[in-house]
Amino acid sequence: MSAPLWTSAEIEAATGGTATAPFEVTGITFDSREVEPGWLFVAMPGTVADGHDFIARAQERGAAASLVSRPVDGPHLLVADVPAALEALARASRARMQGKVLGVTGSVGKTSTKEALAAALARRYPGRVHRSLKSYNNHTGVPLSLARMPRDSIYGVFEMGMNNEGEIRALTALVRPHIALITAIAPAHIENLGSMEAIADAKSEIFESLEPGGTAIIPNDTPYRDRILRAARRHAETILTFGSGDADITALHAVRSDAGGSLVTARLASADLTYNIAQPGDHWVSNSLAVLAAVEAAGADLAAAGLALGDMGGLKGRGERHRIAVAGGTALLIDESYNANPASMAATLRSLADEKIEGRRLAVLGTMLELGEHSDDAHAGLAPAVIAAGVAELILVGEATRPLADAIGDGLPVTMVANAAEATDALLARLGPGDAVLVKASNGIGLASLVERVAGGAATCST
């Protein structure tokens, strides 16, 4: 029988709280809908709802106990402050971790890279690699992800995000990575941070709590490389760059494979490696180089990592592909609905251009949020990428996308809609056999509902 994730005595020692009775838990969540039998439910306070109001639901789903700040019915552990107690449990989890911890951040690609990195490590050590689930990368998600880490994990892979300066500093102080990776620098959250230099500085905070002897992995293909290098040198013993040109880890050869992804030969520190990537696009070549740099820095199995990259399917909202039944045949829907900024929009449009299809290329593009005063220029600046992708018809969602429509002019048919529901209707009226459609926007635009309605029970596919 495997050891529990936590015992009540361990939680008491970590948090200073008091349990009503001894218990053991096999998992942790602060979402009552996720509770499984034997889990600890963390009753987080909130501005809209208080987790204490959902304890009965958690108990109905089999929660072993709840972490609370006021007495409740049923088994519980009482603390003065629930968020502080969750952070304390996260620190205790990190302290007992005897393996290697890897931290990932970046303006684009951090969730995909985190998932690929975890899969690459798990190929050699199945069941012994822990990772952040979903995009649990903020001030509550990172502590939860740490607290969930099994005590016998060999590797832990954690994603860290931010909206403002100082947020990654706080998160990396909890994670204390041995290896810290920045995927890319792009104008995400520029509304809050004000400049690209400030974004690069905020992402570079990930190096500040590197463990002694730690490794920093940074993108070579950014104008801010030297700025990031200077930040990394203050904290890292080893620095590796990935990308093109004089990067330490680079693709010597990369071509589109028959399966739709890429066949890559990469130069690493110890050897050259040839491998397939299941996901299409040059951005996935870059992601793969970052993954292999981290795998090599961790002393893990590079050959196994290469196999994992070839097997990895698309992630929901981040490249998952659906084969849709339409009158007269099928169409391909590429789900990039979770997030968007100018760099990721351009990258996925390039991938759309590479699709081998019999029909047309369509795109449903929604507003890119958190761009502030840069919003009009950023949206208009996508016009060359849309045209170069060979898009036959474009559906734009939200008034903030109008500068893109204006920039395209009469270059191709453009339909402006107000919301995801109207976008869905517009797409269904246009989608035909052999077509490929890219769906991409910031998560707040809600295009996941379009994917759900159009794809429904459609099968995902790798080509």
Side-chain angles (χ1 to χ4, degrees), residues 57-439:
R57 177 191 294 175
Q59 291 173 343
E60 290 173 359
R61 294 182 63 88
S66 299
L67 184 66
V68 297
S69 59
R70 63 174 185 263
V72 297
D73 292 335
H76 62 271
L77 194 144
L78 184 65
V79 296
D81 183 291
V82 172
L86 181 60
E87 283 199 13
L89 197 59
R91 285 191 291 271
S93 179
R94 178 63 185 87
R96 74 183 184 183
M97 167 60 160
Q98 298 301 303
K100 289 186 178 179
V101 174
L102 302 90
V104 179
T105 193
S107 301
V108 293
K110 55 183 175 291
T111 299
S112 299
T113 300
K114 176 259 298 181
E115 291 290 327
L117 179 52
L121 295 168
R123 185 75 175 221
R124 175 67 176 82
Y125 298 103
R128 303 293 299 280
V129 177
H130 176 71
R131 75 190 195 285
S132 310
L133 293 182
K134 302 181 181 179
S135 288
Y136 280 172
N137 61 19
N138 63 8
H139 66 289
T140 55
V142 170
L144 177 66
S145 297
L146 277 163
R148 285 174 159 177
M149 182 163 55
R151 62 184 75 227
D152 63 347
S153 297
I154 294 176
Y155 294 105
V157 185
F158 298 94
E159 177 183 341
M160 287 172 266
M162 59 88 188
N163 294 308
N164 293 286
E165 178 187 359
E167 292 177 350
I168 288 181
R169 179 177 295 118
L171 298 177
T172 198
L174 286 174
V175 173
R176 294 191 292 112
H178 298 91
I179 299 165
L181 162 63
I182 295 178
T183 60
I185 303 298
H189 313 301
I190 198 168
E191 180 179 16
N192 297 335
L193 290 157
S195 71
M196 293 295 291
E197 290 80 5
I199 292 172
D201 291 345
K203 296 298 184 184
S204 297
E205 292 171 9
I206 194 173
F207 306 131
E208 294 182 10
S209 290
L210 269 170
E211 288 289 274
T215 298
I217 300 174
I218 68 175
N220 204 52
D221 302 324
T222 172
Y224 311 99
R225 182 198 67 173
D226 291 346
R227 191 180 189 95
I228 300 169
L229 272 171
R230 288 193 294 271
R233 287 190 184 112
R234 294 195 287 269
H235 307 284
E237 180 173 306
T238 303
I239 300 174
L240 297 173
T241 58
F242 68 92
S244 61
D246 61 352
D248 298 311
I249 289 83
T250 190
L252 301 174
H253 180 71
V255 296
R256 183 178 172 89
S257 67
D258 292 339
S262 297
L263 175 64
V264 183
T265 297
R267 183 190 67 212
L268 307 171
S270 59
D272 292 351
L273 180 70
T274 298
Y275 58 96
N276 283 296
I277 308 171
Q279 299 303 306
D282 292 341
H283 58 297
W284 261 105
V285 174
S286 179
N287 289 348
S288 74
L289 295 173
V291 167
L292 293 174
V295 168
E296 189 170 41
D301 189 326
L302 285 168
L307 292 173
L309 289 167
D311 289 343
M312 187 174 175
L315 306 176
K316 185 175 182 179
R318 296 181 175 86
E320 190 172 56
R321 299 155 73 83
H322 302 271
R323 197 51 80 174
I324 310 300
V326 296
T330 63
L332 173 65
L333 186 150
I334 305 167
D335 177 14
E336 288 277 358
S337 62
Y338 187 80
N339 204 359
N341 58 52
S344 65
M345 279 281 200
T348 51
L349 283 164
R350 286 193 296 271
S351 296
L352 179 64
D354 290 337
E355 291 293 337
K356 295 179 180 178
I357 58 174
E358 296 178 357
R360 304 166 303 153
R361 293 175 179 84
L362 311 178
V364 181
L365 306 181
T367 301
M368 299 180 289
L369 300 174
E370 298 184 346
L371 294 175
E373 64 183 14
H374 305 275
S375 179
D376 286 355
D377 289 343
H379 284 93
L382 293 174
V386 170
I387 293 169
V391 172
E393 290 198 48
L394 180 64
I395 299 169
L396 296 177
V397 189
E399 187 60 29
T401 63
R402 189 167 295 280
L404 173 54
D406 294 340
I408 289 173
D410 297 328
L412 60 93
V414 178
T415 301
M416 292 285 304
V417 298
N419 52 49
E422 292 181 11
T424 305
D425 292 338
L427 177 60
L428 289 172
R430 289 161 174 78
L431 197 59
D435 290 349
V437 56
L438 169 66
V439 179

